[in-house]
Every structure is written in structure tokens, then in C-alpha cells.
Amino acid sequence: MTDGTATVDDLDVRLEKHRVELTGYCYRMLGSSFEAEDAVQDTMVRAWKSYDKFEGRSSLRSWLYRIATNVCLDMLTAGNKRARPMDLSESTPLAQAALSPRPDNTWLEPMPDARVLPTVEDPAEAAVARESVRLAFMAALQQLPPKQRAVLILREVLAWKASEVAELLGTSVASVNSALQRARATLAEQQDKAADAAVSDPLDEEQQKLLERYVAAFEGYDMSALTALLHEDAVMTMPPFDLWLTGHADIAGFMTTVGSACAGSRLLPVQVNGLPGFAQYKPDPEVGGFTPWAIQVLEISDGGLTGFHFFLDTQRWFPLFGLPLRLEAEPHEVEQGA
């Protein structure tokens, strides 16, 4: 600090300290990885430009959240609610399966944990943060009007006091409490319809073994082994396609027909949306090696997989996760293919 004013470098450091938690907040608000990062960048720019007007009546963190909330509310005025395929239509029997894409802004997007989950020492706080970026919870959040969404995230996820939220939104405590009550009711209704992804952090031994069996089954494209890991009503989705499948027979049938090119894929683990996941690379028959195909997000409950979700826009997702856009074949794989 110099003469009571932050130097350029000092202000940069102070703002950057809040980037991950602000990205998490904007991601919960917007349901989009890229829009969240754009919103945080806009927040940082606005903070820079108006820092000389920041009088310190609130903490820098509270002030940044106020700016970020306004940015998100402005972005949400278009009324778009991002969704999962099962939020938009009934499941499709395999016999009627058709791959129909919808625009990018239709879909709830995946997000690497490292970009939205700041390091915290309190295990309970960390657990709440992880649960609040899981796909089912995020989809439920999208059903709330924007201001109710902000109130619920600030109160329930970030544990702000009602008075602090009221000050941030420029409203009364009674109004905040009313909005929270309505938001909780809507969320409870939405979550009743969703599978509960019960994932330990870190994964317990049983869950770790389940994932190892999943990798072996998927990479071996062993449908018997794979479906043995799925709950009877497990769900498979593939944004940007609106098709979604449920049940062993349709999932296995799809993977061995329309999805047969995924045989021989390689999976690399990723941490995504507070859940275990994998970057899937499928064989490249033209030049050898493996090419990106999907970010997979797995939902686990009661010792089995309740859902696996394939996000297929690899040119967007793989760079976001810091993943290579190609894997070379191992020497033994080259020999086998010769």
C-alpha cells in the first residue's frame, strides 16, 4: 500500500486471491463454465476501474461479490435456463434414438474442480462446496429465478448472514428470508426428482474399486462388466445431443451400435463438478493414436453408477481441463495394430 492506495501489483494480487471462489459463485449462477469465467473477468475489470470509489465500508471480498452478482444478474436477463437432457424431454427408447444437437447455450456445462473449488481447511465447508457444483444440484439451481438463485447460493452454500445478503442486494432481511424460503421449496422439489450422487471426498475404498472396474470395463468395451456396475435406472446423456438413455439394455445397445467407435478408448481421470470423471480418447483409425471424444462425469450412489454423462464438445472442454488434444499409442498398441 502507498498513501492509503493499493499499488497496481498489490491490487492485482488482492483481486486474484478471490478468482476461484468468484468463478465458483458465477458458475453456480450461470451454469456455464465459459460464461462464469467471462463474468469474473468482467468483475475484475469493473473492480479495477472503480477501485478509487471503494471506500472500504465493506470488505473487498463482499464488494467483489456485489459486483459479480450484478454482472450475473445482467447476463441472466435473457432468461436462459441451462439444463441437462433429462430436464428437457423423456428418455428415448433405443429403437427411436436419434442424435439431434441443440445450441450450446441450452446445456449445463462441466467445470474442472480446480477452477471453482478454493482450498479450505474445514472438511464440512469443502463438502458443501463440492455438493453445490454437482450436476443435479446445478440443474436444480437453474430452475430458480436469478435473485432467488443468488440468495440461496450466498446463504446456503457460502454461509453469508441474511443481513449481509440484504446489503449486497440492496433489499431487506425480510425479503432475503422470503426469497430463501421460496428457493428452498423449489430446490427440494427438484432434488426429489434427481438421483442423489453420494460420493465421498476423498473417494472411499469401495468407490475407488468401482471406478477401477469401470475403467477396465469401458476400456475393454465389455458391456456385461459395464452394465453390472450400473443401477437398473442408470442414465446416460451426451450433450450437445438431446438424446438420453436409461436402463441396462438401451445403454449397452447404444454403445455397441451407434457408439461402437468408442471401443478401445483410453480414459484419463479428471476432477469435475465435485464428482469423479474421465477424459475419454477414442482410437483414431486414420493416423493412429487417440483423439479426444468426451469429458465423462460419473454419478455414484449405493455402490453403483446412477449416471454417466458424456460432454462431447472436445475443442472447448479439453483445453479447459488442461488436457492434450491427442494421445499417442503405446508401443505395444502400435505392435498390436500392425
Side-chain angles (χ1 to χ4, degrees), residues 188-208:
E189 187 179 306
Q190 292 296 322
Q191 289 184 296
D192 281 345
K193 301 174 187 174
D196 181 25
V199 183
S200 302
D201 179 28
L203 295 176
D204 63 31
E205 185 178 355
E206 181 186 0
Q207 291 168 345
Q208 191 60 54

Side-chain angles (χ1 to χ4, degrees), residues 132-326:
S132 69
V133 293
R134 289 178 182 164
L135 295 174
F137 185 84
M138 289 285 297
L141 277 179
Q142 298 297 300
Q143 300 305 310
L144 299 176
K147 285 197 175 176
Q148 282 186 31
R149 203 179 305 177
V151 167
L152 186 125
I153 296 166
L154 291 165
R155 292 281 285 119
E156 301 278 275
V157 178
L158 301 175
W160 284 41
K161 297 174 182 175
S163 57
E164 294 171 328
V165 178
E167 184 181 349
L168 182 146
L169 293 174
T171 188
S172 67
V173 169
S175 176
V176 166
N177 288 337
S178 175
L180 179 60
Q181 188 174 11
R182 294 196 304 275
R184 281 174 174 164
T186 302
L187 210 61
E189 187 179 306
Q190 292 296 322
Q191 289 184 296
D192 281 345
K193 301 174 187 174
D196 181 25
V199 183
S200 302
D201 179 28
L203 295 176
D204 63 31
E205 185 178 355
E206 181 186 0
Q207 291 168 345
Q208 191 60 54
K209 286 181 177 177
L210 176 67
L211 290 184
E212 289 167 5
R213 289 167 61 201
Y214 173 78
V215 171
F218 196 96
E219 290 188 340
Y221 228 59
D222 181 340
M223 290 302 113
S224 294
L226 184 62
T227 54
L229 305 177
L230 303 179
H231 282 268
E232 284 292 334
D233 56 354
V235 166
M236 175 180 173
T237 69
M238 293 159 282
F241 301 115
D242 56 13
L243 169 74
W244 64 282
L245 302 165
T246 185
H248 293 182
D250 280 358
I251 289 173
F254 181 90
M255 292 181 73
T256 52
T257 54
V258 181
S260 60
C262 290
S265 289
R266 293 262 299 275
L267 300 182
L268 300 183
V270 293
Q271 296 299 313
V272 50
N273 285 85
L275 294 164
F278 295 95
Q280 177 191 344
Y281 292 80
K282 72 175 185 177
D284 186 334
E286 294 184 4
V287 297
F290 299 85
T291 188
W293 182 245
I295 295 292
Q296 301 183 6
V297 185
L298 306 187
E299 294 172 323
I300 299 173
S301 182
D302 297 327
L305 295 175
T306 56
F308 53 147
H309 309 284
F310 296 73
F311 291 90
L312 302 180
D313 191 349
T314 55
Q315 295 300 314
R316 300 173 79 212
W317 306 134
F318 277 58
L320 181 71
F321 281 77
L323 293 161
L325 290 175
R326 177 168 183 76

